Amino acid sequence: MPDHSAGAPGSPSARLLLALILGQIGLHGAMAGVRLAAPLQLLGQGGSALSVGLLMALFAASAVLLAMQAGRMADAHGYHRPMKVAVVMTGLGALLPLLATWLPAGATQFVLLGLAAVLCGGGANFGLITIQRTAGRSAADGVQRMRVFSWLGLAPALSNVVGSVSAGALIDLAGFRGAYAFLFALPLCAAVLARQVPHEAPPQPATSAGRRSAWDLFRLPGIGPLLAVNWLLSACWDVHSFAVPILGHERGFSASTIGLILGVFPLAVTGVRVLIPVLAARLQPAVVLRGAMLATGSVFVLYPFIQSPWLMGACATLLGLTLGSVQPMIMSTLHALTPHDRHGEALALRSMTINASSTLMPLLFGATGAALGVAPVFWVMGTAVGAGSRLTRRLKS
């Protein structure tokens, strides 16, 4: 595998890595909190399910539309300029719904909440691409990159605790204004932490990524197969979160039982990402990806036949272990395959495929499930990801 990231500095310091993780928590936590609070605010004032669905779609849509700008800005200017954009966008995204609490329910308030969704979704993703690019470039080799991205992969789970859980608690304790005020402070914390990240030397004008098409990256060996693998595995996350509640309901499980089955999944994801840094020197990304795809495909084929909640919980745990191991491998491989001055663009392409999938695939799953039942959703996706494991042969470790 050609390592285009050669020339990166040595092992990243714990201080830098902590600043990147906490910075992502600040941005993603604010977005997750607004994504919870804004629909609740809308529903509490008599909003329809359609208006809530539109609001939720805006979070992912803006992430898709702004991803490439984020990647190119990061390639051209390093960490700090795009991070400022991310902080401003996400901060405004939390401030607008705070202002909306002083307005009567109606079109104006909905417009403010919609703008908040656009700003939070786009801003958090702007920051994510910037943070991931800096994290990958701070490592000197593939082993260090796997370790860095494993630790960074803990940030989304922690963000949901900081953002969603805290916002929910504050809504009950202090109302929506208290929740939005807290969420507004989170991006400001990310701005303060940015001071711990060193500035990069500006790139040479001749290597500026802005003069080339991002789609040229697909001509590089391995990029297309890697992004296809990433899309298949990302879709598996969406299938699991969509289909397990339906399957559990069909089995007559209680809401708490279904919640526990879904809850063991992120615990397993967190566990494997804590373990990967210890085992990184022994792992080959292509082998791990192939094994994860085959295991995921097998579990998906078996899932609809399982009647016991304990066995479904075991399947969810296994899926958490397999799918949780994927992101560090994909991110490390993506950085190795991409030219040093185009890491931001490559991350943007990855982000666009994931967010587009998360927007469109649930609609497809819903249509399929309504017509044929939820079992075919598992079987089709399991077969696709299992067959897609052949793509990993084109990713040499």
Side-chain angles (χ1 to χ4, degrees), residues 23 25-27 29-30 162-163 181-191:
I25 291 173
L27 295 174
V162 172
F182 169 76
L183 296 173
F184 174 70
L186 291 179
L188 304 182
C189 296

Side-chain angles (χ1 to χ4, degrees), residues 4 215-225 337-339 342 346 394:
H4 292 290
W215 305 108
D216 291 342
L217 291 171
F218 282 104
R219 300 176 184 176
L220 296 175
I223 292 290
L337 293 174
T338 308
R342 305 192 72 184
R394 299 168 65 181

Side-chain angles (χ1 to χ4, degrees), residues 74-160:
D75 282 336
H77 302 287
Y79 182 82
H80 292 273
R81 184 178 294 188
M83 195 63 178
K84 289 177 182 177
V85 173
V87 167
V88 170
M89 289 181 65
T90 312
L92 284 175
L95 182 61
L96 288 179
L98 175 60
L99 298 177
T101 60
W102 276 278
L103 297 175
T108 303
Q109 189 181 78
F110 181 76
V111 169
L112 287 180
L113 294 179
L115 287 174
V118 170
L119 289 167
C120 281
N125 199 54
F126 222 93
L128 174 63
I129 291 171
T130 303
I131 290 167
Q132 289 176 337
R133 175 185 175 276
T134 301
R137 291 162 72 93
S138 70
D141 55 39
V143 172
Q144 289 180 7
R145 281 193 297 271
M146 278 190 278
R147 289 174 176 151
V148 165
F149 284 120
S150 293
W151 291 119
L152 195 63
L154 298 176
L158 297 174
S159 300
N160 286 324

Side-chain angles (χ1 to χ4, degrees), residues 41 45 108-109 216 305 320 322 331 361:
Q41 181 181 352
Q45 296 175 345
T108 303
Q109 189 181 78
D216 291 342
F305 295 107
T322 58
M331 299 296 289
M361 293 304 287

Side-chain angles (χ1 to χ4, degrees), residues 158-204:
L158 297 174
S159 300
N160 286 324
V161 174
V162 172
S164 301
V165 176
S166 297
L170 285 169
I171 290 170
D172 291 335
L173 293 173
F176 285 99
R177 290 177 188 171
Y180 288 132
F182 169 76
L183 296 173
F184 174 70
L186 291 179
L188 304 182
C189 296
V192 173
L193 290 163
R195 299 176 182 178
Q196 304 298 323
V197 180
H199 289 265
E200 294 181 28
Q204 296 297 322

